[in-house]
Amino acid sequence: MPIAHYLSHPQVVQDPAIPVPQWGLNAKGQARIAAFAASGAMQGTQVIYSSTETKALETAAPLAQALGCPHHQVADMGENDRSSTGYLPGPAFEAAANAFFANPDESHQGWETARAAQHRIVNAVDAALNAQPNDNILFVGHGAVGTLLYCALMDIPIDRRHDQPHGGGNIYRFDTVTRTPDGPWQPLETLIS
């Protein structure tokens, strides 16, 4: 039975002068993905679908190369649109993220709503699963929309308590037929033997 994984990008270079979707991985994030790619943990993956944001591309590309599989870029797999506020420093971002998850049908300071972002990511993932129903698929994206997808797959209300652990570079697995995760987010290192 085919399996899908959803992987969030790891640590990034936070630069307030650059739009958030253009942020790339920092040295720690790059090292984590290089080790993950070299580990063979994702052997059997037949195709990768990723967001078009730089940090997701820098996560997916080394994995696609190591696995020798195709990599499709899908704009609708992008992180929730936060362009109305741009970069927010730590505490301000955490407060905004809390509001985003707590009020899924309301826009926080012009952000895309959690409900709209959930609808978008679910449709993007469904389209990929329907296009390749017999393949093991790795989805590479972002923490917030990955959590929204997880909540949809689990058929539970949107809630930040299901969010990934801090720092990114986390993963969960789900059956492509039942579309049910077999557990919550875990650091990608847990898959490295």
Side-chain angles (χ1 to χ4, degrees), residues 10 28 35 45 54 72 87 96 104 114 118 121 131 143 149 153 158 161 164 166 169 172 178 184-185 188:
K28 182 175 183 177
T45 298
T54 303
H72 303 292
Y87 169 78
Q118 184 182 58
I121 188 67
L149 175 65
L153 293 170
I158 292 170
R161 65 190 168 102
Q164 69 171 341
H166 185 70
Y172 59 84
T178 66
W185 289 106
L188 60 85

Side-chain angles (χ1 to χ4, degrees), residues 127-143:
L129 293 172
N130 291 334
Q132 302 192 235
N134 300 313
D135 290 340
N136 295 320
I137 301 176
L138 173 61
F139 295 99
V140 178
H142 311 273

Side-chain angles (χ1 to χ4, degrees), residues 43-134:
Q43 284 301 322
T45 298
Q46 294 159 291
V47 62
I48 295 175
Y49 283 81
S50 82
S51 158
T52 58
E53 295 188 27
T54 303
K55 48 196 170 282
L57 296 176
E58 290 181 359
T59 301
L63 292 166
Q65 183 174 9
L67 293 164
C69 70
H71 169 204
H72 303 292
Q73 300 176 29
V74 181
D76 278 348
M77 285 183 59
E79 186 60 290
N80 60 304
D81 183 353
R82 308 188 298 253
S83 57
S84 62
T85 59
Y87 169 78
L88 293 172
F93 174 79
E94 291 303 320
N98 286 339
F100 170 79
F101 280 101
N103 303 291
D105 295 304
E106 297 175 19
S107 172
H108 178 76
Q109 297 183 355
W111 283 19
E112 178 182 27
T113 68
R115 188 85 58 212
Q118 184 182 58
H119 183 73
R120 177 172 50 77
I121 188 67
V122 167
N123 285 344
V125 167
D126 279 347
L129 293 172
N130 291 334
Q132 302 192 235
N134 300 313

